[in-house]
Amino acid sequence: MQIDLHFGMTWVVARCAGFNTQQAQIIAYASQYVDDATNQGHIKFDNGATYTRITTAHKMLDYRNLQKLKNRQVWIPFHFLPGNGGLPAGSNPSGSFIRKLVCKPNSYVAKDMISECIANRHRPYALHLLGITSHVFIDTWGHQGFAGVQHDINHVRDIKDHNGKIDVHWTQKVANYFKDMIQDDIPSLGHGQALSNPDLPHQHWSYTNGFGEQVERNNPIDFLEAANELCKVYQLYLGLSQTGLSESQKEKIMQCYQDFKMDCGEARLALWLEAISNDEFGLGACQLSYIPKGTGSWKHKALATELVEGDEDEYKFSREFLASDWKLFHDAAKQHRLNIVDVILPRYGICVG
């Protein structure tokens, strides 16, 4: 999924579940920042202190550089949560090991992830962790059928629209994006070959995967289910009855999926934010914005840097840094990765460390 859902829709669902405006803002920002925390390494302060952040995503250009993509510590815990074939711990799906790594909606692995997140709600970074968990959780619907490793199962052929017609537009976009690569050389990691089709909330499409299996995808239906299940997660977190979204809330969210049909996630987000500011969801009018880097961002507030790319050689240390949203996000990301890689996946016989 893209920024319109990871930030805009996530804020709406958090408010629907019972979080207040400020809490929902933290959850939604952290959810989207999973896609934007692309820098790595440690930062230095003028008093000799250092802080090591965590990378939770790669830039889109890295899809053309397979060596940068071979980082299972990024793709598997943060974007393509293994589904173990939809089976509980101790059971194995039929076929080869790759079947364990394929993403499945609302899997037992995902439920264990939710439990670990809730177990850490006493932490200072609890809401940031919930935002990260939210990102990964709803992506189990968007990324279903794909795995966060380089494998033939991620090969995509014969993408068709809902009328069964070959999507020539997709074919041309693949050719343009990967330039001189032939089909067999295009990185088969995640849904790279499908480009943004798995992430578009209005898309109804089908394709043939690397095992020759025909796959039908109805994103609006899948994503509404994801939103409803995410609401239940938030209600569980708050100790409320897990009733999910109301019918009117479902109808409004589905209307957004169907009406906001542009392929650009930023353009769709602008429409979500306009609807929120006009109180179209009945949650109270609220002016929201998302700034990933530069002035006004979490990083700017934490480190007083206006840089959009790269880092300063040194930052002035302030005690406020220790409680900043930017640091708390990275603290939470470390906890999340530990939960997934070292605690949960081994229960399912999956080792990706």
Side-chain angles (χ1 to χ4, degrees):
M1 298 182 186
Q2 297 177 334
I3 189 172
D4 55 324
L5 303 192
H6 284 310
F7 183 74
M9 187 194 76
T10 295
W11 185 91
V12 168
V13 174
R15 291 285 290 118
C16 289
F19 286 104
N20 64 36
T21 300
Q22 183 180 10
Q23 292 169 329
Q25 168 76 16
I26 293 172
I27 294 166
Y29 193 111
S31 174
Q32 172 53 33
Y33 198 55
V34 170
D35 280 342
D36 294 317
T38 56
N39 293 334
Q40 59 184 340
H42 63 274
I43 57 173
K44 301 177 182 178
F45 291 98
D46 58 356
N47 66 348
T50 61
Y51 180 75
T52 302
R53 66 194 148 196
I54 187 171
T55 301
T56 58
H58 292 297
K59 299 176 182 178
M60 275 302 295
L61 288 177
D62 289 341
Y63 266 104
R64 301 192 193 114
N65 186 340
L66 187 57
Q67 292 306 312
K68 289 186 179 180
L69 289 177
K70 291 181 177 178
N71 187 346
R72 298 187 179 192
Q73 296 276 314
V74 170
W75 293 110
I76 286 180
F78 293 106
H79 302 279
F80 294 90
L81 188 69
N84 196 46
L87 300 174
S91 300
N92 296 309
S94 60
S96 59
F97 179 74
I98 189 63
R99 297 289 187 178
K100 295 174 74 70
L101 298 184
V102 172
C103 207
K104 293 282 186 180
N106 205 12
S107 64
Y108 285 95
V109 179
K111 290 180 172 67
D112 284 353
M113 173 182 68
I114 298 300
S115 297
E116 290 294 338
C117 176
I118 293 175
N120 281 278
R121 62 183 169 190
H122 63 288
R123 307 283 188 184
Y125 51 74
L127 291 179
H128 304 76
L129 179 59
L130 182 58
I132 294 169
T133 301
S134 302
H135 181 112
V136 181
F137 183 68
I138 63 174
D139 265 358
T140 64
W141 277 268
H143 295 170
Q144 61 180 290
F146 295 97
V149 294
Q150 172 80 1
H151 194 277
D152 288 349
I153 198 169
N154 295 321
H155 282 180
V156 170
R157 297 286 191 280
D158 303 326
I159 285 190
K160 299 177 182 179
D161 62 23
H162 66 281
N163 294 315
K165 295 182 179 179
I166 293 291
D167 186 350
V168 179
H169 180 53
W170 165 80
T171 304
Q172 187 58 49
K173 282 204 298 185
V174 170
N176 291 340
Y177 185 78
F178 290 104
K179 298 189 182 301
D180 298 328
M181 283 186 178
I182 61 174
Q183 178 72 25
D184 289 341
D185 290 335
I186 294 173
S188 53
L189 188 153
H191 62 77
Q193 294 188 14
L195 297 183
S196 59
N197 278 286
D199 293 325
L200 300 177
H202 55 275
Q203 202 82 317
H204 187 174
W205 58 297
S206 65
Y207 70 98
T208 303
N209 70 15
F211 287 171
E213 300 164 339
Q214 301 296 311
V215 181
E216 179 81 16
R217 294 287 298 274
N218 190 325
N219 291 1
I221 298 298
D222 290 345
F223 289 8
L224 185 62
E225 180 183 339
N228 189 52
E229 292 301 320
L230 180 63
C231 186
K232 293 178 183 178
V233 168
Y234 291 160
Q235 290 165 337
L236 176 63
Y237 190 95
L238 291 169
L240 304 174
S241 298
Q242 298 171 59
T243 56
L245 298 165
S246 69
E247 289 306 312
S248 62
Q249 290 165 345
K250 290 179 185 177
E251 290 174 4
K252 180 58 185 176
I253 290 174
M254 178 60 84
Q255 181 184 345
C256 292
Y257 293 166
Q258 295 173 336
D259 291 350
F260 306 162
K261 292 187 176 181
M262 59 284 292
D263 287 350
C264 175
E266 296 281 355
R268 296 194 307 273
L269 174 63
L271 296 178
W272 275 89
L273 298 186
E274 181 180 359
I276 291 169
S277 68
N278 293 332
D279 196 21
E280 294 181 21
F281 296 96
L283 302 168
C286 185
Q287 300 294 324
L288 296 177
S289 64
Y290 174 77
I291 305 172
K293 305 281 178 68
T295 303
S297 67
W298 275 0
K299 186 176 180 180
H300 171 243
K301 294 174 183 178
L303 298 170
T305 178
E306 297 181 357
L307 291 180
V308 174
E309 298 291 337
D311 288 299
E312 311 281 0
D313 292 335
E314 188 176 84
Y315 295 97
K316 181 177 177 58
F317 182 80
S318 168
R319 288 194 61 83
E320 285 71 29
F321 168 77
L322 299 175
S324 67
D325 286 310
W326 185 82
K327 178 184 181 293
L328 292 176
F329 170 86
H330 286 283
D331 290 346
K334 294 172 187 177
Q335 181 69 59
H336 174 83
R337 187 173 66 182
L338 176 70
N339 290 345
I340 300 299
V341 175
D342 293 343
V343 177
I344 297 174
L345 292 184
R347 299 174 188 163
Y348 294 81
I350 299 173
C351 180
V352 295

